[in-house]
Amino acid sequence: MPLKRYGADCALLVVDVQNSFCPGGELAVPGGDEVVPLINHLSLLFENVVLTQDWHPAGHASFASSHPGGQPFHSVTLPYGEQTLWPDHCVADSPGAAFHPELETEHARLVLRKGIHAGVDSYSAFVEADRTTVTGLAGYLNALGVKKVWLAGLATDFCVAWSAIDACAAGLETHVIEDACRAIDIDGSLAEAWMQMRQAGVKRLRSDEV
Ligand code: VGL
Ligand code: ZN
């Protein structure tokens, strides 16, 4: 049993390492699969590992195909605000929603699914895009006495960034392991995401500093 350097008050949040976001997937993130070996290694250092899955019902409001004339990567206005439209991806129980086959899932203590409501997206693993509905993750981590989190996964500029910003807002000391993430990067979204994360108080580091 390898030494767990990060104990009960720490958690590794592995965000959306799913087939849809890997090469060949419906919403492939460049190099998305490259994070898998590194995340598998990092998981060994943590007593608490949480995996998230983007998990949408068919016909989800974030899918371009759900809007007449909707174009992937364009945006529309939904009741809760602006929503970027995406190709259909991570449909609940579809092959795209499954974890990358090489992701080590055995030691995860929680698999959290998000984006499960047909009309509301959720990049964040904590609070949905209406900024009201919670996933329960903050309560779960709080109940375990977790005070610090490290994030890795896909995509840096969407689900990782929003989750990290909400982790800070939940009072957790928050770190993003930049080389264990990959970005979509549309229209400067990656630079913008790092700026927002820095303003929120997220600590940015590399895996050799973990
Ligand atoms: C994500 C776009 C749509 C992500 C999820 O995991 O970053 N991006 N749904
Ligand atoms: Zn999604």
Side-chain angles (χ1 to χ4, degrees), residues 11 13 50 52 110 112 124-127 133-147 149 163 165-172:
L13 304 186
V50 174
T52 71
L110 176 71
L112 181 108
S124 167
F126 292 88
V127 186
T133 309
V134 297
T135 65
L137 183 57
Y140 175 85
L141 295 174
N142 184 51
L144 291 180
V146 171
K147 306 274 188 250
V149 292
S163 298
I165 290 165
D166 284 350
C168 280
L172 298 159

Side-chain angles (χ1 to χ4, degrees), residues 3 28 32 51 53 64 78 101 130 178 209-210:
L3 180 72
L51 308 178
Q53 271 178 314
L78 294 185
D130 61 8
E178 59 178 339
E209 302 170 278
V210 175

